[in-house]
């Protein structure tokens, strides 16, 4: 019985040693195959598939450049032109320009007469019948209409006085020692008489005497383009007590 058990144990030991041997051989074989699969691409890179390599190594395209910035807006410089005319009178300029630019006018193109070809023998000019009519007729001159009323300063109006009545000093104002200037607004007609006379400012004691005196004043007619026009102006009447 002991012998049988010994023989059975020896058979089991032999079987276990054989299985271990085959396991070791299998492990070594699999490891060798795996090592070859890793080393072959490193030693021979030509063996790798080219399409996969190109796909893996190709960089993506760069992003498109940003759009250019919009152009800056144009700066508009507003030039204020100040007229040198005040009350239809030239005034001195406020500053003298450093450079004076010469403006050259281009020569007008020659005028061509209108007409129909072959009509020169009918007594017209060389430009034809229509050309002869336009060239022979005088062009009417258009005359600008003068304004009905213009405004001038009191100083300009004072230089146009032909007849001036001195206002009488009111007794009540003289007794109260009141003096000053009465400013009147008036319209000088085309014949030089005073119309639409009214008070703008001044002491009430002096206004009536100033109105009575200025109504009789006479002015030289104001001419614009050779034609008399009505003038709107101011009249200053000064009342001063003698020392």
């Amino acid at each position: 019985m002991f012998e049988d058990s010994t023989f059975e144990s020896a058979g089991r030991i032999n079987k276990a040693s054989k299985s271990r041997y085959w396991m070791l051989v299998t492990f070594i074989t699999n490891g060798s195959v795996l090592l070859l699969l890793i080393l072959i691409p490193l030693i021979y890179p030509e063996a790798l598939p080219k399409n996969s390599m190109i796909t893996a190594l190709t960089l993506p395209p760069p992003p498109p450049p940003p759009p250019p910035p919009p152009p800056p807006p144009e700066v508009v410089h507003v030039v204020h032109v100040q007229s040198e005319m005040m009350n239809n009178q030239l005034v001195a300029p406020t500053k003298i320009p450093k450079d004076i630019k010469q403006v050259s006018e281009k020569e007008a193109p020659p005028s061509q007469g209108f007409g129909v070809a072959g009509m020169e023998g009918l007594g017209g000019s060389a430009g034809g019948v229509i050309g002869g009519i336009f060239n022979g007729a005088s062009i009417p001159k258009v005359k600008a209409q003068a304004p009905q009323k213009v405004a001038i300063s009191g100083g300009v109006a004072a230089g146009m006085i032909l007849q001036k009545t001195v206002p009488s000093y009111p007794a009540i104002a003289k007794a109260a020692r009141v003096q000053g200037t009465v400013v009147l607004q008036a319209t000088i007609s085309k014949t030089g008489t005073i119309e639409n006379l009214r008070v703008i400012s001044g002491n009430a004691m002096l206004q009536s005497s100033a109105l009575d005196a200025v109504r009789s004043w006479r002015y030289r007619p104001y001419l614009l383009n050779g034609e008399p026009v009505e003038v709107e102006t101011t009249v200053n009447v000064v009342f001063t007590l003698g020392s």
Side-chain angles (χ1 to χ4, degrees):
M1 184 176 180
F2 178 76
E3 184 178 359
D4 293 336
S5 62
T6 303
F7 281 112
E8 289 176 1
S9 299
R12 289 178 182 176
I13 291 170
N14 291 332
K15 288 180 180 179
S17 61
K18 287 181 180 180
S19 63
R20 289 177 181 174
Y21 173 75
W22 285 109
M23 184 180 298
L24 181 62
V25 171
T26 303
F27 179 75
I28 293 171
T29 304
N30 292 338
S32 300
V33 172
L34 183 60
L35 185 62
L36 287 174
L37 291 176
I38 295 173
L39 292 177
I40 286 174
L42 298 177
I43 298 172
Y44 302 102
E46 294 83 359
L48 295 174
K50 293 184 179 180
N51 294 332
S52 300
M53 291 294 292
I54 292 173
T55 304
L57 296 179
T58 303
L59 294 175
E74 297 183 359
V75 180
V76 179
H77 298 281
V78 180
V79 179
H80 298 280
V81 180
Q82 184 177 3
S83 176
E84 295 183 357
M85 296 289 294
M86 180 179 294
N87 297 327
N88 297 322
Q89 300 293 326
L90 286 173
V91 297
T94 56
K95 59 181 180 178
I96 300 175
K98 296 181 179 179
D99 299 329
I100 301 176
K101 297 181 179 179
Q102 297 289 338
V103 180
S104 58
E105 298 182 357
K106 295 183 178 180
E107 190 174 330
S111 59
Q112 296 180 356
F114 298 94
V116 182
M119 301 294 290
E120 293 85 354
L122 297 180
S125 62
V129 176
I130 301 178
I133 294 174
F134 280 100
N135 291 334
S138 60
I139 301 175
K141 295 182 180 180
V142 179
K143 187 176 181 180
Q145 184 178 3
Q148 298 297 325
K149 184 184 293 187
V150 296
I152 62 175
S153 64
V156 176
M160 299 167 50
I161 296 177
L162 298 177
Q163 178 183 342
K164 182 176 181 180
T165 303
V166 178
S168 60
Y169 215 109
I172 186 172
K174 186 180 295 186
R177 307 293 295 176
V178 174
Q179 58 184 357
T181 302
V182 179
V183 181
L184 306 176
Q185 186 79 20
T187 300
I188 302 175
S189 66
K190 296 180 181 180
T191 59
T193 58
I194 294 293
E195 298 177 355
N196 300 326
L197 188 63
R198 53 200 180 276
V199 178
I200 296 178
S201 63
N203 192 284
M205 296 182 184
L206 307 174
Q207 292 178 5
S208 178
S209 178
L211 290 171
D212 293 339
V214 174
R215 283 193 184 97
S216 62
W217 290 8
R218 294 294 178 266
Y219 289 81
R220 182 176 65 253
Y222 187 84
L223 301 179
L224 183 63
N225 297 328
E227 296 291 335
V229 294
E230 292 185 350
V231 172
E232 191 76 16
T233 186
T234 58
V235 181
N236 298 331
V237 182
V238 181
F239 290 86
T240 304
L241 291 172
S243 56

